[in-house]
Amino acid sequence: MTDPVAKLPSELDQLPDRDPEETAEWAASLDAVTQAAGPHRAAYLMRRSLQHAEGAGLALPKLLETDYVNSIPTAAEPAFDGDLEMESKITAWNRWNAAAMVTRGARYGVGGHIATFASAAWLYETGFNHFFRGKEGGGTSRSSAAENGGGSGDQLYIQGHASPGIYARAFLDGRLSERQLDHFRQESGGEGLPSYPHPRRLPWLWEFPTVSMGLGPLSAIYQARFNRYLTNRSIKDTSDSHVWAFLGDGEMDEPESTAALALAAREQLDNLTFVINCNLQRLDGPVRANFRVVQELEAQFRGAGWNVVKTLWGNAWDELFQLDTTGALLRRLREVPDAQFQTYSTRDVAYIREHFFGAEPALVELAKLLSDAKIAECFYTSRGGHEARKVYAAYKAAVEHKGAPTVILAQTVKGYTLGKGFESKNANHQMKKLSIDEFKGMRELLGLPIPDSAFEDGLVPYGHPGADSPEVRYLQERRAALGGPAPARRMHASAPLPQPEERAFKALYKGSGKQEMATTMAFVRLVKDLMRDKETGRRWVPIVPDEARTFGMESLFPSAGIYSPLGQTYEPVDRDQLMYYKEAKDGQILNEGITEAGAMADFIAAATSYATHGETMIPFYIFYSMFGWQRTGDQMWQLADQLGKGFIVGATAGRTTLTGEGLQHADGHSHLIAATNPASLNYDPAFAYEVAVIVKDGLRRMYGGAVPGEDSDVFYYLTVYNEPKPQPAMPEGVEEGIVKGLYRFKEGTPASADAPRLQLLASGTAIHWALEAQELLAADWGVTADVWSATSWGELRRDALAADEALLRGELRVPYVTQALSGAPGPVLAVSDWMRQVPDQISQWVEQDWSSLGTDGFGLSDTREAARRHFGVDARSIAVAALAQLAKRGEVPASAVKEARERYGL
């Protein structure tokens, strides 16, 4: 017989075989089994051998796929720690009220989703009854809750479309009223419930916004990682906290859903569990119509290093597997695509006998042993995700597994218990209500004591067994044992952080003298000094996506250390240098590699630690400004919705300061995108002292304690530049203007009493072009220009909008920008390294004639000077634009504009 080992080249050909004869004997044995008992028996023996080898500690690569069966056999399930009958009643009430809430809301056309929770009810209920820790427990293993800021509990990332089920449970628990349920998706009256998990809208209940699909799983990974970060840095022991992310199988198509799987495995985040509801349906139809999504996900997660637990079949399938002595059933399950299996759930038993069991003779014979009732039970309802004992076994296996995160692939039927009109139908995601007859059928199926008289007004009633019923007492006792209600968000205000000592800011107030310094470097120097503060220094969380050296942050490496749960297991190549690459288990810097999405997820975890863990942290995330809002803008909204605080820093900002990098690095629009986010305070400082004032005010506002009328649930976006310039000392009395967004930096000196005059408003690096233009206008044309530093076009607009809103209430309030420029002579010309729409945000509140210059269009690779001439924002272009404005007003002759263009080569 030909040696099968030699048939195909493989990596084994490179390895020495010390006993080829023994190898051939093993191969021959495998051939003999294949011939005598078939390939499936041979494959079974090989897999058993691999399983035995793994148990014996032999280092062998694992299989990426296993058979389409449960990972935990029924015989190996642990004892169920609870009253299953009582939990079934609780789950029935919650199923009913979730469907009732959405159906009642359909009267007002507000919509809602029914089918998702119907399929996942036991996935949630089992967790709430047995596993999910609340914040009222200790939450620490080495210190008391009181000493450690209270318990952290578990972090629950609830699938957005399942929110009605969570509301239904809170109603049963007494945390929500009927009136609140009746205001689902009707929030304007103040009593309503948001459609999905939204911490900003219902801050006592929801911790994490998850309905922007893909962001939940990504954030869950980095939250679990940040929990370890807090523990390893001795900020708070979170070793008793577990992160649970509930996801849909369709959601796993989002690139963010799987972007950080390797990180979770690499850092051995066994404090993390994904629960993927595999109902085989996404919003429009099958997730993998012609394939098997469970097997695909298993291979993906196993390949990334995760522990995989498949919970696919209910107990009814045990009989089928025991009768499958030939392996025919397993083969058939491996080959049937998801869309076909979905079809089986909606067809009669005769169809299943013909199209499933009729595939090969062995299955035909097996089906003869099965009653129609048994086939119906297996194919219509019996899924692992619908049976509490199987879900319990999976969860217990997940929390007890060490050394790797776990994913549970739980198979369910979408729309389960809602009747044949819903179950497994492609359109069930868009179906928003059940008829009265469908509710009555659901009532009978769930065994709920709701009389027909309750439907007499044509409206489905809510159901509740009573506040002192056995069901409610059981529910509340289980939650009390687990540390209080869940989900729940910490609402009491964190103690204000002490403000840093003034000397850290004074270094930038005094300027740099003749030395040139970029504002990027000014910010880094400031934060480096703030990280030395004895009170708050350890609470800073520097985050950077593999560009720390670009931003001049390498000096932080040896002093603060780069976080790694393994520490540094190697000798760094630059160990003999002053600023060597130092990793440490208690490192402070999160250097994420090339992933802005991962760095932003880090930021969100740190920015909301004050609520999640009762530990206030001060994150700053620094990145190429082009790759922040443009690339991860959805996460910026997630941050806002989660009430996060911190500093987001767009470095190498603007469209003309990093021109050698070319078009893709040229940011002229991030401030425009940032302006759309209500929680983002956006600043474009020109000088180092402005950076210091803004950061100081941000620390006060976000962390210094609530001030009446001022929202502290905000974050700051600063743009800083890589262009070295001499940094002036801070003038007297400009702090208020810096924070509000505008102050006069340098007043022009009139050549005569009747000299033409105008106002130049500039932000960021553009102020240097405006100052040069001020000199050109005075020297060449006798025109006086006042130069203003516009530190925040966005804050000026926000203040003006607030003034407009006050006017509607009958309150007269003049916008700050109008006040600041009141009486300033001449027209206003605004200039920045951004698109003209950025300064144009405030034009309607400026009483003077308005015009602007900006960097609209695509960027290009060239020198800074050439790029600025290209966009028409350099000093000479500003001078010509200023003369044109004055010529329109008749204050300079029109010929001066033509003469200036020729003189300056425009």
Side-chain angles (χ1 to χ4, degrees):
M1 180 182 295
T2 305
D3 181 2
V5 177
K7 284 183 179 179
L8 296 173
S10 80
E11 75 280 1
L12 295 177
D13 297 337
Q14 305 171 69
L15 306 177
D17 187 347
R18 69 178 187 180
D19 192 342
E21 185 176 345
E22 181 184 35
T23 304
E25 289 174 357
W26 276 78
S29 298
L30 186 62
D31 286 345
V33 173
T34 303
Q35 287 185 344
H40 301 291
R41 176 60 180 171
Y44 176 82
L45 290 175
M46 287 297 296
R47 291 183 55 193
R48 276 294 191 188
S49 298
L50 287 171
Q51 182 185 48
H52 179 79
E54 182 178 350
L58 297 179
L60 290 173
K62 295 182 179 180
L63 294 174
L64 294 185
E65 279 190 35
T66 60
D67 283 322
Y68 206 68
V69 295
N70 294 345
S71 301
I72 304 172
T74 300
E77 292 172 5
F80 186 77
D81 180 24
D83 184 334
L84 184 55
E85 182 181 357
M86 187 63 69
E87 292 182 28
S88 297
K89 292 179 180 179
I90 291 169
T91 303
W93 286 116
N94 291 339
R95 286 183 182 279
W96 178 274
N97 288 323
M101 176 175 59
V102 176
T103 298
R104 289 166 70 104
R107 293 173 296 164
Y108 308 105
V110 296
H113 300 288
I114 302 177
T116 294
F117 178 73
S119 69
W122 275 114
L123 302 180
Y124 290 105
E125 292 298 323
T126 305
F128 285 126
N129 288 327
H130 299 278
F131 292 94
F132 304 157
R133 293 186 179 93
K135 293 185 183 299
E136 294 174 8
T140 64
S141 59
R142 292 196 295 270
S143 60
S144 72
E147 293 170 347
N148 215 23
S152 295
D154 287 355
Q155 287 80 60
L156 308 180
Y157 289 78
I158 304 295
Q159 193 178 0
H161 295 142
S163 63
I166 309 304
Y167 291 140
R169 189 170 224 277
F171 169 64
L172 197 66
D173 194 14
R175 294 202 289 164
L176 289 175
S177 67
E178 265 193 39
R179 181 171 177 80
Q180 287 173 296
L181 294 192
D182 260 350
H183 283 78
F184 174 60
R185 291 193 172 194
Q186 300 172 71
E187 297 180 77
S188 58
E191 295 180 291
L193 302 177
S195 52
Y196 302 124
H198 285 306
R200 189 170 283 274
R201 288 299 183 199
L202 201 61
W204 61 267
L205 181 72
W206 298 119
E207 279 196 288
F208 308 107
T210 53
V211 83
S212 189
M213 293 190 187
L215 299 190
L218 178 69
S219 294
I221 289 173
Y222 282 90
Q223 181 66 57
R225 196 281 197 89
F226 189 74
N227 291 358
R228 290 280 172 85
Y229 172 90
L230 290 176
T231 300
N232 288 333
R233 290 197 55 223
S234 300
I235 301 289
K236 182 173 187 177
D237 181 1
T238 64
S239 53
D240 279 353
S241 288
H242 200 88
V243 178
W244 300 82
F246 288 84
L247 317 167
D249 47 0
E251 183 177 5
M252 300 312 292
D253 287 347
E254 290 282 6
E256 294 89 349
S257 295
T258 55
L261 298 186
L263 167 73
R266 187 168 63 243
E267 299 204 0
Q268 301 179 1
L269 298 180
D270 49 28
N271 60 340
L272 169 67
T273 298
F274 277 15
V275 181
I276 302 181
N277 180 14
C278 298
N279 55 38
L280 313 185
Q281 288 182 247
R282 53 189 176 200
L283 307 189
D284 285 334
V287 179
R288 292 290 181 274
N290 296 299
F291 305 93
R292 288 155 298 283
V293 71
V294 168
Q295 300 298 86
E296 177 184 315
L297 291 172
E298 179 184 27
Q300 193 169 15
F301 278 86
R302 282 187 184 275
W306 286 53
N307 175 46
V308 178
V309 177
K310 291 197 291 191
T311 303
L312 308 180
W313 309 114
N315 285 331
W317 281 83
D318 288 349
E319 180 181 344
L320 276 68
F321 290 126
Q322 290 166 5
L323 294 172
D324 182 30
T325 58
T326 66
L329 178 60
L330 289 182
R331 291 196 296 276
R332 186 67 177 135
L333 290 174
R334 279 202 300 268
E335 67 189 21
V336 174
D338 285 353
Q340 185 61 45
F341 209 91
Q342 179 187 347
T343 299
Y344 293 145
S345 300
T346 63
R347 300 297 178 90
D348 59 25
V349 171
Y351 179 92
I352 298 170
R353 286 186 183 276
E354 177 184 355
H355 292 275
F356 182 84
F357 291 102
E360 61 174 284
L363 286 175
V364 172
E365 293 303 312
L366 187 154
K368 290 178 180 178
L369 304 174
L370 302 174
S371 67
D372 283 358
K374 171 60 71 173
I375 291 176
E377 181 184 9
C378 288
F379 282 81
Y380 296 163
T381 61
S382 185
R383 302 292 187 275
H386 297 323
E387 297 191 9
R389 290 184 183 275
K390 296 200 176 295
V391 175
Y392 179 88
Y395 286 6
K396 194 168 190 295
V399 297
E400 291 178 355
H401 185 82
K402 300 303 176 186
T406 295
V407 59
I408 296 169
L409 304 175
Q411 190 157 270
T412 65
V413 174
K414 193 166 186 178
Y416 182 64
T417 72
L418 298 180
K420 289 299 180 183
F422 263 83
E423 291 176 352
S424 294
K425 293 295 192 291
N426 280 339
N428 59 23
H429 186 77
Q430 282 71 40
M431 297 163 70
K432 310 301 182 187
K433 60 183 179 179
L434 280 74
S435 68
I436 295 297
D437 286 341
E438 287 172 321
F439 267 108
K440 289 181 178 179
M442 184 180 177
R443 173 193 62 185
E444 300 307 317
L445 178 65
L446 297 177
L448 292 173
I450 299 174
D452 284 348
S453 59
F455 299 90
E456 287 179 355
D457 61 357
L459 193 64
V460 58
Y462 293 117
H464 200 293
D468 195 39
S469 64
E471 293 95 324
V472 172
R473 289 201 306 271
Y474 181 91
L475 182 156
Q476 292 176 341
E477 287 168 2
R478 299 301 302 188
R479 287 312 316 158
L482 286 165
R489 182 177 177 275
R490 182 179 278 104
M491 278 288 288
H492 57 267
S494 300
L497 291 182
Q499 294 301 290
E501 294 183 11
E502 189 71 10
R503 66 170 179 267
F505 303 100
K506 285 183 177 179
L508 298 188
Y509 292 165
K510 65 182 182 182
S512 64
K514 294 181 180 180
Q515 180 185 0
E516 292 187 337
M517 179 169 59
T519 51
T520 297
M521 183 55 66
F523 176 82
V524 171
R525 288 186 182 181
L526 174 62
V527 171
K528 187 177 179 181
D529 287 342
L530 291 172
M531 287 171 64
R532 295 191 182 108
D533 186 84
K534 61 183 179 181
E535 294 290 338
T536 60
R538 73 190 189 111
R539 297 192 176 273
W540 283 86
V541 184
I543 303 167
V544 59
D546 200 40
E547 287 281 7
R549 296 183 190 277
T550 301
F551 309 134
M553 291 175 60
E554 63 269 27
S555 61
L556 294 178
F557 289 169
S559 58
I562 299 165
Y563 173 74
S564 170
L566 300 179
Q568 193 152 38
T569 62
Y570 61 92
E571 183 178 357
V573 67
D574 52 0
R575 183 63 180 86
D576 57 343
Q577 297 180 16
L578 181 63
M579 299 181 187
Y580 69 96
Y581 197 82
K582 176 188 174 184
E583 296 187 77
K585 189 173 181 179
D586 62 349
Q588 196 164 356
I589 304 167
L590 292 172
N591 191 319
E592 285 308 341
I594 305 174
T595 167
E596 287 84 2
M600 192 63 211
D602 261 337
F603 185 88
I604 293 170
T608 56
S609 179
Y610 72 95
T612 308
H613 294 296
E615 292 288 349
T616 300
M617 306 301 285
I618 312 172
F620 80 88
Y621 165 37
I622 188 167
F623 51 88
Y624 269 116
S625 67
M626 182 67 167
F627 305 135
W629 286 87
Q630 173 174 297
R631 186 167 289 185
T632 59
D634 198 9
Q635 288 177 285
M636 307 290 188
W637 277 91
Q638 180 187 8
L639 169 67
D641 208 6
Q642 206 167 317
L643 290 78
K645 310 169 190 278
F647 297 95
I648 294 176
V649 184
T652 61
R655 188 151 274 165
T656 69
T657 63
L658 194 68
T659 53
E661 297 282 353
L663 181 152
Q664 288 188 329
H665 284 62
D667 175 18
H669 54 283
S670 67
H671 270 285
L672 202 60
I673 305 173
T676 65
N677 192 307
S680 180
L681 277 58
N682 311 308
Y683 285 90
D684 188 31
F687 304 118
Y689 68 78
E690 293 178 352
V691 171
V693 169
I694 294 164
V695 170
K696 181 180 179 182
D697 187 69
L699 292 172
R700 176 201 63 78
R701 179 166 179 172
M702 293 186 289
Y703 305 106
V707 173
E710 185 178 68
D711 186 4
S712 63
D713 294 323
V714 295
F715 58 93
Y716 280 62
Y717 176 53
L718 279 72
T719 43
V720 291
Y721 296 83
N722 64 319
E723 189 171 10
K725 292 285 186 181
Q727 296 295 331
M730 183 169 68
E732 291 288 333
V734 298
E735 290 92 335
E736 181 184 18
I738 292 171
V739 172
K740 289 188 172 181
L742 183 69
Y743 68 96
R744 184 157 49 196
F745 174 72
K746 186 176 182 181
E747 189 173 359
T749 303
S752 61
D754 58 351
R757 194 159 189 162
L758 80 156
Q759 309 300 313
L760 295 178
L761 277 57
S763 70
T765 195
I767 201 164
H768 302 289
W769 324 331
L771 290 168
E772 187 178 345
Q774 181 188 47
E775 295 177 1
L776 288 174
L777 288 166
D780 296 347
W781 310 100
V783 171
T784 303
D786 297 333
V787 175
W788 299 69
S789 180
T791 53
S792 179
W793 308 105
E795 285 306 288
L796 292 174
R797 177 178 176 82
R798 184 169 285 158
D799 170 81
L801 289 172
D804 286 356
E805 292 171 7
L807 188 61
L808 292 176
R809 299 191 299 268
E811 304 170 18
L812 183 60
R813 188 163 75 77
V814 180
Y816 174 79
V817 64
T818 308
Q819 294 179 51
L821 291 170
S822 178
V828 169
L829 175 60
V831 60
S832 74
D833 207 11
W834 309 95
M835 299 169 67
R836 289 175 61 182
Q837 289 160 283
V838 174
D840 285 350
Q841 293 178 83
I842 65 170
S843 61
Q844 71 187 82
W845 295 282
V846 174
E847 296 174 343
Q848 293 87 344
D849 292 338
W850 173 273
S851 64
S852 63
L853 298 174
T855 55
D856 292 73
F858 290 107
L860 75 166
S861 293
D862 212 316
T863 64
R864 290 179 178 131
E865 292 75 15
R868 288 160 186 168
R869 174 58 60 91
H870 168 81
F871 285 112
V873 292
D874 62 321
R876 295 183 175 190
S877 298
I878 295 172
V880 172
L883 291 172
Q885 283 295 97
L886 293 170
K888 284 182 184 179
R889 296 160 57 95
E891 296 182 28
V892 300
S895 60
V897 181
K898 180 175 183 296
E899 182 183 347
R901 280 202 302 268
E902 293 173 351
R903 178 185 296 191
Y904 298 145
L906 301 185

